[in-house]
Amino acid sequence: MTEPPVPESPGPHERDATAHGGRGEAGAGGTGAGGTPAGGARPHGGGAAGRVARSTASAVLIVLTCILVPVALLATWVHDIALDTDRYVATVEPLATDPAVQDAAVHRITEAVGTHVNGPQVAADIASWLQSQGLPPRAADALSRLGPQIDSAVDQAVTKVATRVVHSGAFATVWTNANRAAHNAVVHALTGKGRGAVGVSDGTVTLDVGTAVDRVKNELVDAGLKPAAKIPQVNKQLVLFHSDELAKFRKGARLLDIVGNWFPVIVVVLGAAGVLLAHRRRRALARTALGAAFACLVVAVGLIVARHYYLDHLPPQVQSKAAASAVFDTLLRFLRVSLRTGIVLGVVIALGAYFVGPGRLPVAVRGASDQTADSAARWAAAHHVTTGRVGAWALAYRRAATLGVLLIIALVFALWNHPTVLTVLLLVLVLLAVLAVLALLAAGGRAQLEASRRTAPGTPRNGA
């Protein structure tokens, strides 16, 4: 059996150094710990003053990156949710079927209708008319006392009809169409411009339930409650939530909207510059990732605290605490998901930077994985299963292939539309699977190389 041609490969000691990424902070170009060249000479760059300036600039950029990562996520939330009609509608659409919002809408509609159906007055009018038609005074007086019962009956009828309207698909359709047609509602909430089904005035966010009130009024008339036809136009705004700080937030929203899509890119560039300027880049990358994750965690905890504080200090204008909570959670859902994703991504990057380093645990893990791959390759070779030219290529270019896979994974993540924690975990699993395949292929290439050396006459075992 003719063995496929196999390129020359480093010896066992060189192979171990290649597989484990070298000791210290060594990287491409034969540098030693701390970025010192193999010959021991320091790089030219202005001497000690240049190194201090470089380290200072790196530290400043890394700290700035950690602080700006959650700000970039906030900018993306403002830009995408506030200004993209489809995403905005998809965000607020579930509110139409949220039980808390539905109950608040039923209450407001019933209140709007019920305040204009005066049971005692209706009973008095009926008693007066019947008395004029010959009804005895005592009977007319007894009839006039039925006002509370009329009020109760009307309230029950209105509540029943309002509940049926709000829980029907018609209400969800009205909600969705109103928000899509008047998409500038959230823009108005953030910038003070525009007007829609959701409006803002002096920090109070309201939902216009006018269409639902009119539908309830028509159904009451059709059901035989003729006085409902005389219900005049009333204030049909359902207060969802109120914030005295909304005006201050509008100023920041305008700025975040301007930087929008470019802000995250700027933050990534700043972080990359900080890592490249560092003397120990692997450690700088890990610290940047952990710092960004910690900043996202602080903001996420801040949102939780702000939510509890807001719900505990609701003003009287807010008629439903549950509805206010649902609106708060819905509008900030994307931001919270983004913060959680940033936390997980930062931890994953930091772990990756750690496991390619010279620590005892990373070296042991990499050594165990290579030994496992070698054992699998020897078993396959014993059963006449070889990797051929692919294994030889993987052995020769494993590091370059690994770098290429990392770049592809990073590009996929950057182009992913609103990645989540599951996205990060999926990409990590794909990366680990590809690295495992490369390790197995490289082990197969090593097995072929060793076999060819054993069969070549007069070839020393060390390959010299």
Side-chain angles (χ1 to χ4, degrees):
M1 178 176 177
T2 304
E3 294 289 341
V6 180
E8 288 297 322
S9 176
H13 298 291
E14 295 170 311
R15 182 174 71 240
D16 290 342
T18 300
H20 299 326
R23 305 292 294 180
E25 294 292 328
T31 58
T36 304
R42 288 285 181 179
H44 296 287
R51 290 193 297 273
V52 171
R54 180 175 173 180
S55 298
T56 303
S58 173
V60 170
L61 289 175
I62 289 175
V63 171
L64 190 61
T65 299
C66 295
I67 295 175
L68 291 181
V69 164
V71 180
L73 296 178
L74 178 61
T76 304
W77 172 73
V78 171
H79 186 272
D80 289 354
I81 299 301
L83 298 182
D84 188 285
T85 301
D86 292 335
R87 289 176 183 154
Y88 162 69
V89 172
T91 299
V92 301
E93 188 174 14
L95 287 174
T97 56
D98 185 275
V101 175
Q102 288 181 333
D103 291 344
V106 169
H107 175 75
R108 182 66 186 96
I109 293 171
T110 303
E111 185 181 66
V113 174
T115 54
H116 293 275
V117 179
N118 191 328
Q121 183 62 46
V122 170
D125 292 343
I126 294 176
S128 177
W129 179 80
L130 290 176
Q131 187 175 2
S132 66
Q133 300 299 315
L135 185 70
R138 293 184 63 182
D141 182 65
L143 183 60
S144 65
R145 299 177 184 275
L146 296 177
Q149 287 76 8
I150 294 177
D151 269 342
S152 177
V154 170
D155 287 343
Q156 291 178 6
V158 171
T159 300
K160 183 177 180 180
V161 173
T163 301
R164 183 169 66 248
V165 170
V166 171
H167 285 77
S168 68
F171 182 75
T173 302
V174 168
W175 173 281
T176 301
N177 292 338
N179 280 280
R180 182 176 293 279
H183 160 243
N184 63 351
V186 170
V187 177
H188 179 58
L190 297 176
T191 65
K193 300 177 181 179
R195 178 69 183 177
V198 178
V200 175
S201 177
D202 297 328
T204 301
V205 180
T206 58
L207 165 68
D208 187 354
V209 295
T211 303
V213 171
D214 292 338
R215 185 183 179 97
V216 170
K217 182 172 68 174
N218 293 334
E219 290 204 16
L220 289 173
V221 173
D222 294 340
L225 190 60
K226 301 303 181 182
K230 299 180 180 180
I231 298 175
Q233 293 294 324
V234 296
N235 180 18
K236 303 166 185 176
Q237 304 300 320
L238 169 65
V239 177
L240 296 180
F241 65 88
H242 175 85
S243 175
D244 294 329
E245 304 297 323
L246 190 58
K248 297 179 181 179
F249 183 70
R250 288 174 181 172
K251 298 178 182 179
R254 293 189 184 98
L255 178 60
L256 292 176
D257 178 38
I258 294 174
V259 295
N261 291 330
W262 292 105
F263 198 31
V265 177
I266 295 173
V267 173
V268 171
V269 171
L270 291 177
V275 171
L276 292 176
L277 287 175
H279 291 295
R280 297 181 176 181
R281 294 173 181 171
R282 182 184 58 80
R283 293 186 181 182
L285 176 61
R287 290 169 180 172
T288 303
L290 287 178
F294 179 75
C296 291
L297 178 62
V298 170
V299 175
V301 173
L303 285 180
I304 296 175
V305 174
R307 180 183 184 275
H308 285 289
Y309 178 84
Y310 165 72
L311 294 178
D312 290 339
H313 296 79
L314 288 174
Q317 298 97 312
V318 179
Q319 297 168 320
S320 172
K321 181 176 180 179
S325 175
V327 173
F328 186 97
D329 293 339
T330 299
L331 291 180
L332 294 181
R333 180 180 57 197
F334 168 74
L335 180 59
R336 295 164 115 174
V337 170
S338 299
L339 290 171
R340 288 195 293 266
T341 304
I343 294 171
V344 173
L345 180 62
V347 173
V348 167
I349 293 176
L351 287 175
Y354 170 72
F355 276 103
V356 299
R360 183 173 300 177
L361 177 61
V363 170
V365 170
R366 294 197 301 268
S369 63
D370 282 343
Q371 290 176 8
T372 302
D374 287 338
S375 299
R378 286 192 293 268
W379 179 89
H383 291 76
H384 307 289
V385 177
T386 62
T387 56
R389 295 180 180 272
V390 177
W393 178 89
L395 179 62
Y397 302 104
R398 181 180 175 184
R399 177 173 291 183
T402 299
L403 180 60
V405 171
L406 285 172
L407 292 176
I408 292 174
I409 293 293
L411 181 62
V412 170
F413 179 81
L415 297 178
W416 198 289
N417 187 22
H418 295 297
T420 63
V421 173
L422 291 179
T423 305
V424 176
L425 297 179
L426 174 63
L427 294 179
V428 169
L429 290 177
V430 171
L431 175 61
L432 293 177
V434 173
L435 293 181
V437 171
L438 285 175
L440 289 173
L441 292 175
R446 280 197 297 273
Q448 292 177 104
L449 181 60
E450 292 172 357
S452 65
R453 285 174 174 172
R454 284 194 300 266
T455 57
T459 303
R461 295 184 62 85
N462 60 4

